[in-house]
Amino acid sequence: MLSILAAGTIFFPGLFLLSKRFLKHAPGLKWSEKDAVIVSSRLVSSVQAIMASSAGFTIAYSCKDVIEDQHWLTTSYILFAVPYFIYDIYAMFQCYWYKLQVKDAEEESEAKPMSAVIRSYLRREFLMVLHHVVMVTVCFPISVFWRQGKGDYFQGVLFLAELSTPSVCLGKILIQYKQQHTLLHKVNGALMLVTFFICRVLLFPYLYYAYGRYASIPFYMVPLSVPWQCNAGAAMLMAPQVYWFSLICRGAFRLFTGASRHKAANSNKLSEPKSSHPPPANGYSPRDSDAH
């Protein structure tokens, strides 16, 4: 158990440091510290998501009996992944800190003391930090000890929630580098919307459906038939997913309706008589900027 925990403790921070060093020093790249940190943190999150999804698929496919069947990957990957959530709190803080430094430089304001930066970070990323802390302090002991080897199938399905993470990470990188106008951003946004809904929102009703089929009881009777701790845990895990999905929906609505307004503005502009005034130096008219 300790050796697997140690492996995860070395692997995720080590991958982050190696990626950051490569992006900063590789010939032809020479990225800044800020860019290297942000992209490296997203890379590590995507690698963890791919590993978790692969483990989840293997476990769920192998466990025919959803309660009694066991797979060695279940506990092993939980132990391996726990250090990731601790590391990721620090990685998110580093990303936030560098973004704040850029913002302060652009506004020519004084750098904030570290204590103020930490408080600001915790306020801004409160839900994500809380999610990571709960994963380590609550979900980890429940999954490893309280289950007593039961329900590996359900644990594998929960790992599949990470399928949406790579598209979320790519979307954040594209937004960070102002690539919202690209086709890649729109395709990735649609993929993120679909995968997040299926893998993180519909996943929880599916767990109840799978147990109902196993126990031969109606779907609506499942919450009354399982221990209250299962209902509480599912509600605790599902609530932030629904909130984050609502934010993704709002972002997708702005993305696609904004693109439509931009096209309409361009078509109207083409149908209008040409003005004798020269275009603005930056190439955008006020109406164009409103469309964004």
Side-chain angles (χ1 to χ4, degrees):
M1 180 181 291
L2 291 178
S3 61
I4 300 175
L5 278 170
T9 303
I10 295 170
F11 177 78
F12 294 110
L15 179 61
F16 172 77
L17 293 173
L18 284 174
S19 173
K20 185 176 74 167
R21 182 176 179 82
F22 174 79
L23 293 174
K24 287 177 62 179
H25 300 289
L29 292 177
K30 305 290 185 180
W31 286 16
S32 67
E33 178 81 9
K34 175 184 77 73
D35 291 340
V37 164
I38 291 173
V39 172
S40 295
S41 68
R42 308 303 184 204
L43 172 66
V44 174
S45 295
S46 297
V47 168
Q48 192 281 139
I50 293 169
M51 294 173 68
S53 301
S54 301
F57 177 80
T58 303
I59 294 164
Y61 182 79
S62 301
C63 295
K64 306 305 179 184
D65 186 310
V66 301
I67 298 297
E68 299 298 334
D69 283 359
Q70 296 182 358
H71 196 286
W72 66 270
L73 260 177
T74 309
T75 300
S76 297
Y77 192 76
I78 292 170
L79 291 168
F80 181 74
V82 162
Y84 163 79
F85 293 98
I86 300 171
Y87 141 82
D88 198 45
I89 293 175
Y90 173 72
M92 289 191 300
F93 171 73
Q94 275 211 315
C95 293
Y96 179 78
W97 185 39
Y98 282 113
K99 290 176 186 176
L100 199 62
Q101 284 184 323
V102 172
K103 182 181 177 182
D104 290 342
E106 289 175 349
E107 297 177 353
E108 298 182 354
S109 58
E110 292 185 5
K112 298 178 178 63
M114 184 57 69
S115 58
V117 174
I118 293 174
R119 287 196 300 269
S120 176
Y121 162 71
L122 292 176
R123 284 195 301 269
R124 182 178 177 83
E125 300 292 346
F126 173 76
L127 190 57
M128 185 63 75
V129 172
L130 179 64
H131 170 269
H132 283 27
V133 170
V134 168
M135 292 297 291
V136 174
T137 60
V138 179
C139 295
F140 165 62
I142 288 175
S143 298
V144 174
F145 303 111
W146 183 76
R147 287 190 312 115
Q148 297 180 341
K150 304 288 186 181
D152 277 18
Y153 172 83
F154 295 108
Q155 192 67 58
V157 173
L158 285 170
F159 286 162
L160 292 174
E162 293 292 341
L163 276 171
S164 63
T165 299
S167 59
V168 172
C169 291
L170 178 58
K172 289 181 177 180
I173 291 173
L174 292 173
I175 291 172
Q176 176 68 26
Y177 296 104
K178 298 179 173 57
Q179 297 299 308
Q180 296 95 319
H181 62 284
T182 61
L183 177 62
L184 175 60
H185 181 67
K186 292 177 174 61
V187 172
N188 182 72
L191 180 64
M192 177 172 61
L193 191 69
V194 172
T195 56
F196 200 98
F197 179 66
I198 293 174
C199 298
R200 290 183 178 262
V201 179
L202 285 186
L203 177 143
F204 293 96
Y206 171 76
L207 294 176
Y208 281 79
Y209 165 77
Y211 181 80
R213 187 176 58 179
Y214 166 81
S216 300
I217 58 176
F219 175 77
Y220 65 87
M221 289 295 295
V222 174
L224 304 176
S225 305
V226 299
W228 68 267
Q229 295 94 330
C230 296
N231 292 322
M236 180 181 66
L237 291 174
M238 186 177 180
Q241 311 304 330
V242 172
Y243 171 72
W244 287 323
F245 180 68
S246 70
L247 297 182
I248 292 173
C249 288
R250 286 166 53 188
F253 179 78
R254 287 196 303 267
L255 173 65
F256 290 106
T257 57
S260 299
R261 287 198 301 268
H262 183 64
K263 290 179 179 178
N266 283 340
S267 61
N268 290 337
K269 185 164 62 176
L270 289 173
S271 64
E272 292 174 355
K274 292 184 178 180
S275 170
S276 59
H277 298 290
N282 60 9
Y284 292 95
S285 68
R287 183 171 55 192
D288 290 330
S289 63
D290 290 342
H292 289 280

